[in-house]
Amino acid sequence: MAATIEETFQRPVGELLRGWRERRRLSQLELANRVEVSTRHVSFVETGRSKPSREMVMRLAEHLDVPLRDRNQLLLAGGFAPVYSEASLHSPSMLAIRTTLRRLLKAHEPYPALVVDRWWNIVEANAGIAIFTADVDEKLLQAPINALRLTLHPDGLAPRIANIAEVRAAALASLQRQVAGTADPELQDLYDELRGYAVNDKPAPPGPAEVVVPFDLTHDGRELSLLTTIATFGTPLDVTVSELMIESFYPADDATAEYLRNGATGE
């Protein structure tokens, strides 16, 4: 069972750092070379024989590519105050971020785009996502709406996705990498839930001309084909901002592009 946040705080900072090093598959020597300290010092920190300074915790966390949320936890475990803020997206300090997100989403219309947090809960979306929310069970549209659950749930989009086996396999593989990279128990629970959904079809091997997995969706009697990209903010210093992901969908063929454009203009 994954450790709770309370249990994490009770664990020594050296033990937590060792966990992150092992998760990144680095030896003590490799980490020591990156941080420019001796292997002996890294060993002493991990075993608790040496108490790392605030600066050393930060340096180790940076070279281990520890997410900002977890860097704060490392600092707390080491007896230091967190350095990264975690402001609500609706707070006054986040006005510039909210404005930027809404401009991006609006500019992407009529194509769908949404913003999700670390746990894939939708925090912002444009009008284009109506093609995803149509005809799904109301229980999946209760806040917070989880984008992955909405996509893969048998009462969600799954019955309308022609290549559900391929989409499911790609989504689970991406989520599994995220779980491995963050050790987040909530993400692990979400992965276990999604993996438990019954799917009879096995993913087909990619064809010779395929370069990405398309999102083939039936909507209003039309067959739509979409491609998706995910973007993040560069150099974030706030936990909330660092965890935001902007998922944008693009038409994979001319017929889909024409249908979405006409639908948005009412033609």
Side-chain angles (χ1 to χ4, degrees):
M1 181 180 295
T4 65
I5 292 178
E6 291 77 9
E7 290 171 340
T8 298
F9 286 162
Q10 293 172 1
R11 295 168 61 190
V13 64
E15 182 179 332
L16 294 176
L17 285 167
R18 183 176 69 247
W20 282 107
R21 177 179 60 77
E22 292 173 345
R23 196 169 293 117
R24 299 297 184 248
R25 298 185 179 183
L26 291 174
S27 67
Q28 289 184 341
L29 176 60
E30 290 171 323
L31 178 58
N33 287 337
R34 292 187 181 188
V35 183
E36 298 182 341
V37 297
S38 68
T39 306
R40 178 187 179 90
H41 185 60
V42 171
S43 176
F44 277 24
V45 167
E46 290 186 351
T47 58
R49 295 181 64 182
S50 176
K51 176 177 170 57
S53 66
R54 175 179 174 276
E55 290 70 23
M56 180 54 63
V57 173
M58 294 290 290
R59 285 174 61 192
L60 289 167
E62 179 182 359
H63 287 279
L64 289 169
D65 194 24
V66 177
L68 299 193
R69 177 181 300 276
D70 302 285
R71 294 188 195 191
N72 278 345
Q73 293 183 5
L74 286 171
L75 289 166
L76 285 169
F80 308 106
V83 300
Y84 299 105
S85 63
E86 186 177 354
S88 167
L89 190 58
H90 302 288
S91 66
S93 64
M94 299 286 269
L95 177 59
I97 298 297
R98 291 198 308 275
T99 301
T100 298
L101 290 174
R102 289 167 183 171
R103 284 174 177 167
L104 286 171
L105 295 177
K106 184 65 177 178
H108 196 65
E109 293 178 354
Y111 308 139
L114 58 149
V115 181
V116 297
D117 62 17
R118 171 168 168 157
W119 304 280
W120 289 89
N121 296 317
I122 299 176
V123 296
E124 292 281 353
N126 69 7
I129 71 159
I131 64 172
F132 299 149
T133 57
D135 302 322
V136 304
D137 194 302
E138 285 295 326
K139 68 184 179 183
L140 296 173
L141 300 180
Q142 296 177 4
I145 303 173
N146 187 276
L148 292 181
R149 185 178 294 114
L150 178 68
T151 301
L152 301 181
H153 197 284
D155 296 328
L157 279 173
R160 292 198 285 129
I161 301 175
N163 60 333
I164 182 59
E166 288 75 25
V167 168
R168 178 178 184 272
L172 287 178
S174 177
L175 183 57
Q176 188 175 41
R177 289 192 296 271
Q178 191 179 357
V179 171
T182 63
D184 189 315
E186 289 189 46
L187 284 174
Q188 181 65 60
D189 290 343
L190 178 62
Y191 175 80
D192 292 340
E193 175 191 336
L194 300 181
R195 190 177 58 174
Y197 295 161
V199 174
N200 295 326
D201 297 332
K202 292 184 178 181
E210 293 180 338
V211 292
V212 296
V213 176
F215 195 82
D216 295 334
L217 178 71
T218 301
H219 175 68
D220 196 25
R222 303 291 188 98
E223 299 295 329
L224 307 179
S225 187
L226 301 162
L227 303 178
T228 180
T229 65
I230 292 180
T232 59
F233 280 94
T235 62
L237 294 175
D238 179 270
V239 172
T240 301
V241 176
S242 73
E243 296 175 348
L244 293 176
M245 295 177 284
I246 307 161
E247 185 168 21
S248 304
F249 292 83
Y250 296 84
D253 54 45
D254 292 339
T256 298
E258 181 180 4
Y259 174 78
L260 292 177
R261 286 197 300 266
N262 291 342
T265 59
E267 297 178 4

